[in-house]
Amino acid sequence: MKQFARKGGPGMRWGLAISLLLAPLPAFAEDWSYRVRPGDTIWDLAGEYLKPDVSWKRLQEHNRIANPYQLPPGSTLRIPLAWLHRQPAKARVLAVRGSATAVANGRNAAIRQGMSLGSGALLKTSPDASLSLQFADGSRLLLLGDSELLLDRLTRFGRSGMADTRLRLQRGRIANDVQPTRGPAASFIVDTPSASSAVRGTHFRVEAADARTRTEVLEGRVAVSSRSRASALVSRGYGTVVADGQANIKPVALLPPPDLRRGAPRHGPHAGARARGLPPPHRDA
């Protein structure tokens, strides 16, 4: 199968991209930028975005604002990430099919459409069940049957639109549709017993089984790393299989979807079923 790795300059660029995706959040070094709107005041903005123990005067000094009564519309206000007000976020259940349960604070409850789930909830689906979730930034996840997913960390940064979402897939399969990140503090990370996948807006699938993690990227790019610190940047149309302790990761091209229009029989009583990839009915049916 075709390997994704390249030699020379491109490989260095992939390494840099991976390090940016997987690096710990530099909360004390980066700023989030806010574009001032007509009618904004530094006092109102401080109340909406800053932690209670951070004074508006610190925001004034950080941005070197001579007159706090005048904030020109269209100008940029820089707010250190460490000053932003952080709040616990919730995941909302959009739909559920079959039997699914949530274990939180030692209590077991059936998952219903419309309910909210917080950090620390362990979600379990029966073999024939599935459920879909929506997170604070609009990203969505589909948890398939016979799976266990821990909502490890769900955080939002006030009204900035940024969310920090960290999930742990204990076993089973998920499909993710992640919104493009809106700032330096935003993240969406899926951990499994053998690997970690970090993204900044993409559509990808993860399966955890038999001490292996399979990641398939349908849109965008995903940085995949193993417990032994091996890493690779996986692009659209590629996938990886990572085992616990694996020394290196080599993305390979995914198989193209089958073209059901070619090679399908045009005649016969069960031609329609074969064309849709379905088995013909039993003779006694």
Side-chain angles (χ1 to χ4, degrees):
M1 289 181 285
K2 183 179 180 181
Q3 293 186 0
F4 181 77
R6 298 287 193 272
K7 296 182 180 180
M12 296 178 62
R13 290 197 294 270
W14 296 140
L16 177 60
I18 293 169
S19 64
L20 291 175
L21 281 170
L22 298 181
L25 178 65
F28 296 96
E30 292 192 56
D31 291 343
W32 173 66
S33 297
Y34 174 83
R35 186 172 295 276
V36 177
R37 302 173 182 176
D40 281 343
T41 69
I42 194 169
W43 301 278
D44 290 340
L45 295 177
E48 290 183 6
Y49 295 101
L50 300 186
K51 294 178 179 178
D53 59 346
V54 180
S55 169
W56 65 268
K57 293 183 178 180
R58 296 182 65 184
L59 187 61
Q60 177 187 2
E61 295 172 356
H62 186 72
N63 287 271
R64 300 179 181 178
I65 299 174
N67 186 354
Y69 292 93
Q70 295 181 356
L71 292 182
S75 62
T76 299
L77 198 66
R78 297 179 297 104
I79 304 177
L81 298 183
W83 295 2
L84 286 173
H85 181 45
R86 302 187 184 191
Q87 299 168 301
K90 297 287 186 179
R92 184 166 62 93
V93 180
L94 298 178
V96 59
R97 180 178 64 86
S99 176
T101 59
V103 181
N105 300 321
R107 306 178 69 176
N108 195 322
I111 297 178
R112 304 296 183 191
Q113 182 178 352
M115 71 186 301
S116 296
L117 302 167
S119 298
L122 177 62
L123 315 185
K124 300 180 179 181
T125 55
S126 61
D128 60 345
S130 65
L131 66 90
S132 58
L133 303 174
Q134 185 173 45
F135 298 98
D137 63 350
S139 297
R140 296 189 177 192
L141 176 146
L142 176 65
L143 182 64
L144 299 176
D146 197 22
S147 300
E148 291 187 13
L149 178 71
L150 175 66
L151 304 182
D152 195 13
R153 183 171 65 207
L154 303 178
T155 304
R156 62 186 180 94
F157 294 81
R159 298 178 57 186
S160 68
M162 292 185 292
D164 181 15
T165 303
R166 188 145 194 157
L167 312 172
R168 182 172 294 275
L169 181 63
Q170 312 281 39
R171 63 180 178 86
R173 296 173 295 160
I174 58 174
N176 309 277
D177 188 1
V178 182
Q179 293 294 317
T181 54
R182 299 180 179 178
S187 65
F188 191 100
I189 300 175
V190 178
D191 290 323
T192 68
S194 57
S196 180
S197 300
V199 303
R200 284 184 174 270
T202 188
H203 185 194
F204 70 110
R205 297 188 292 245
V206 178
E207 178 181 7
D210 301 326
R212 293 176 180 269
T213 299
R214 182 188 304 273
T215 303
E216 299 177 348
V217 181
L218 307 181
E219 294 289 343
R221 293 185 292 182
V222 176
V224 179
S225 62
S226 68
R227 298 306 176 205
S228 60
R229 298 186 179 181
S231 61
L233 190 62
V234 186
S235 290
R236 173 184 178 180
Y238 285 79
T240 63
V241 177
V242 179
D244 192 13
Q246 187 168 319
N248 54 69
I249 300 175
K250 295 181 179 180
V252 296
L254 300 175
L255 293 175
D259 187 353
L260 300 181
R261 297 172 300 177
R262 300 181 59 183
R266 300 182 179 180
H267 306 286
H270 308 307
R274 293 192 184 98
R276 296 191 301 272
L278 303 175
H282 296 292
R283 292 183 177 180
D284 56 352

